[in-house]
């Protein structure tokens, strides 16, 4: 095992991930292999995908750690064997069940790309070698562990790219995920892809992911009047004297109403009671929703934005004065009053969350209010209060908000992230490419489904500018490409597409992670895998990563592998007959 294993302990395997988490045909094939004497034939399988997701030109490989845990824990329990006896046909020989009971992955060898790396179509993410029966039995489980993980990490990485480096991203999707297992996986792999935290408490515990959250609208609406406040006092952070938070907040609300050009009579007392109560509970972490109440009444708003009866948000939205959110007249007024009261008690508020309405407009207006308050009362930190936005956000929403010049510091993203609504499946496949040293090829009228046969190695060749230029597949018997030496790279199926490459750097993509019944290279902690994603993405040119019409990244085969593919193709393709 590598040195990095000593300081890292993998999270426990989800109890659902077990040998019976598979398709029935894997078990029936296993019996047929066993009965026909092929159980110990030496097989090589490739696990790969054919098309990048989300109309993009890259994929993030994830799920390797879970695959290694699965191999490590692979064992049919007594109850598994009993269930199979009851489920499979009665003619199954008893000795087969005895064979399964003793079966482990000790004879399997798994090589893979490093988790968190960018990957591309046709380049195997993992190569699985070993006895045919066991390498077949683990197929479905490996696919389910890699497919969603890689899709989710890729989706998160795309959100990180469109959001930019300076905006925080939080995953809020547990309640919308495809069940608890989908929710946990989404939290884990969104963090790997570049998100900064999750609302999922169990994911935080299991995977050491920062957990973030504030309160829901129900907390605000559970308060009706100021009489609903159980206690109005808070100890000063420094002097420990009792502060009357209600009196301070009411005084600040009155004082702020003239500065903000709003009426204190419009602000909801129930909302103020809720914010005071939340501030008492979390005086050092006061971040609150400000959009619980929304009415359309008066032509009131911030003077700098009011012009001819309309409000100009300076962000592409020209909103009629009669439809200005009460967020501005109640939520923001109440928040600022409580935030300033907390400051009087020695604390600093964190910020606000906006979950509805015109996010660009409201964020800019909120920032203007914060700056105005900061200047009026000489509190520079108030201008920098955090503005969090949620509300069904996707990639296009973020791009649009950027175009409008929003003032948002953090996005909370749920449904579109965790369900991968733009593309719900990656489509990884698991194909036999060699048996007992003999190559195997799957032919199809759809050239995209023709497999690349044989035991292969993969290399990433870098150009003179330091960016990844092309991924090269070649037969394992070939000498690896060398830095500074010309390499002929060919399209696997189109004869005319070929080019010479002189790489400035050559990276061998595969490491052996599992062999002889043990983990050879231990997975890295999630924080390091997360860093690997960003480092790997930096090796790609910007045009490959762009959101609209990205440039395809090239995947090629060596000249030797090209000839090998086409010779085998001719050997296996039937000869037609004209009549």
């Amino acid at each position: 095992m590598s040195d990095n294993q000593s300081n890292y302990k993998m999270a426990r395997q989800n109890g659902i991930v077990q040998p019976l988490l598979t398709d029935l045909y894997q078990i029936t094939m296993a019996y047929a292999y066993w009965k026909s004497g092929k159980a110990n034939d030496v097989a090589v399988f490739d696990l790969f995908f054919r098309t990048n997701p989300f109309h993009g030109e890259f994929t993030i490989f994830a799920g390797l750690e879970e695959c290694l845990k699965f191999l490590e824990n692979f064992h049919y329990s007594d109850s598994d064997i009993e269930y199979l006896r009851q489920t499979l046909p009665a003619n199954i020989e008893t000795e087969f069940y005895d064979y399964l009971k003793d079966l482990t992955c000790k004879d399997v060898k798994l090589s893979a790309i490093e988790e968190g790396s960018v990957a591309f179509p046709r380049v195997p993410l993992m190569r699985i070698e070993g006895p045919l029966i066991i390498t077949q039995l683990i197929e479905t489980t490996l696919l389910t562990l890699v497919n969603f993980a890689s899709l989710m990490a890729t989706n998160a990485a795309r959100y990180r790219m469109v959001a930019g480096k300076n905006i925080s991203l939080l995953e809020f999707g547990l309640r919308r995920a495809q069940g608890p297992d989908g929710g946990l996986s989404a939290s884990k792999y969104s963090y790997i892809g570049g998100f900064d935290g999750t609302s999922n408490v169990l994911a935080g515990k299991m995977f050491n992911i920062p957990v973030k959250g504030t309160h829901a609208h129900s907390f605000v609406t559970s308060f009706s009047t100021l009489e609903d406040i159980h206690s109005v006092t808070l100890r000063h952070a420094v002097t420990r004297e009792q502060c009357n938070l209600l009196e301070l907040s009411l005084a600040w609300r009155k004082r702020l109403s003239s500065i903000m050009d709003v009426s204190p009579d419009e602000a909801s007392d129930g909302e103020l009671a809720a914010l005071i109560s939340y501030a008492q509970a979390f005086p050092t972490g006061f971040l609150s929703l400000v959009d619980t109440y929304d009415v359309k009444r008066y032509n009131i708003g911030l003077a700098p934005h009011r012009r001819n009866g309309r409000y100009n948000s300076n962000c592409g939205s020209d909103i009629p004065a009669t439809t200005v959110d009460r967020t501005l007249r109640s939520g923001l007024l109440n928040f600022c009053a409580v935030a300033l009261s907390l400051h009087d008690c020695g604390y600093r508020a964190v910020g606000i969350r906006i979950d509805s309405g015109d996010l660009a407009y409201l964020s800019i207006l909120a920032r203007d209010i914060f700056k105005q308050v900061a200047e009026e009362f000489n509190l520079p930190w108030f201008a920098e209060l955090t503005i969090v936005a949620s509300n069904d956000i996707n990639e296009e929403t973020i791009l649009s908000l950027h175009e409008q010049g929003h003032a948002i510091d953090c996005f909370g993203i749920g449904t579109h992230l965790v369900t991968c609504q733009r593309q719900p499946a990656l489509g990884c496949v698991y194909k036999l490419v060699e048996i007992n040293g003999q190559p195997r090829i799957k032919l199809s009228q759809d050239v995209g489904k023709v497999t690349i046969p044989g035991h292969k190695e993969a290399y990433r060749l870098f150009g003179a500018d330091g960016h990844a230029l092309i991924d090269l597949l070649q037969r394992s018997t070939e000498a690896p490409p060398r830095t500074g030496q010309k390499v002929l790279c060919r399209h696997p199926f189109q004869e005319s597409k070929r080019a010479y490459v002189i790489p400035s750097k050559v990276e061998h993509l595969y490491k052996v992670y599992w062999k002889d019944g043990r983990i050879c290279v231990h997975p890295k902690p999630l924080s390091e895998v997360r860093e690997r994603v960003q480092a790997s993405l930096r090796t790609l040119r910007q045009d490959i990563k762009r959101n609209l019409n990205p440039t395809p990244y090239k995947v090629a085969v060596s000249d030797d592998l090209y000839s090998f593919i086409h010779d085998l193709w001719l050997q296996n393709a039937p000869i037609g007959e004209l009549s």
Side-chain angles (χ1 to χ4, degrees), residues 98-140:
D98 296 335
Y99 176 86
L100 287 184
K101 191 171 182 179
D102 294 330
L103 191 61
T104 68
C105 291
K106 63 181 178 62
D107 296 320
V108 172
K109 178 182 177 183
L110 184 146
S111 305
I113 295 173
E114 184 177 352
E115 186 162 16
S117 299
V118 289
F120 304 97
R122 294 192 176 280
V123 178
L125 302 172
M126 298 194 299
R127 184 179 65 222
I128 298 91
E129 307 167 61
L132 178 57
I133 191 168
I134 182 63
T135 52
Q136 187 77 72
L137 281 167
I138 62 179
E139 171 186 357
T140 301

Side-chain angles (χ1 to χ4, degrees), residues 264-308:
D265 296 333
E266 272 198 282
S268 166
D269 284 348
E271 182 179 53
L272 181 63
L275 299 192
I276 289 173
S277 298
Y278 198 76
Q280 284 180 310
F282 301 101
T284 60
F286 181 55
L287 190 151
S288 63
L289 273 167
V290 294
D291 64 350
T292 302
Y293 298 105
D294 175 28
V295 295
K296 302 173 183 177
R297 289 201 219 162
Y298 303 111
N299 184 9
I300 297 173
L302 279 177
H305 293 272
R306 188 168 55 199
R307 186 174 64 223
N308 299 326

Side-chain angles (χ1 to χ4, degrees), residues 2-55:
S2 64
D3 293 339
N4 67 345
Q5 181 172 3
S6 57
N7 296 321
Y8 174 62
K9 182 179 180 181
M10 292 188 293
R12 67 181 185 273
Q13 179 91 61
N14 187 327
I16 290 175
V17 180
Q18 52 183 286
L20 291 192
L21 185 66
T22 190
D23 296 306
L24 179 62
Y25 81 166
Q26 307 290 9
I27 308 289
T28 57
M29 281 193 293
Y31 178 65
Y33 287 145
W34 178 83
K35 190 167 178 60
S36 62
K38 290 180 65 65
N40 291 320
D41 285 7
V42 180
V44 179
F45 284 90
D46 285 346
L47 190 154
F48 62 97
F49 60 94
R50 297 187 176 106
T51 307
N52 287 304
F54 311 117
H55 305 292

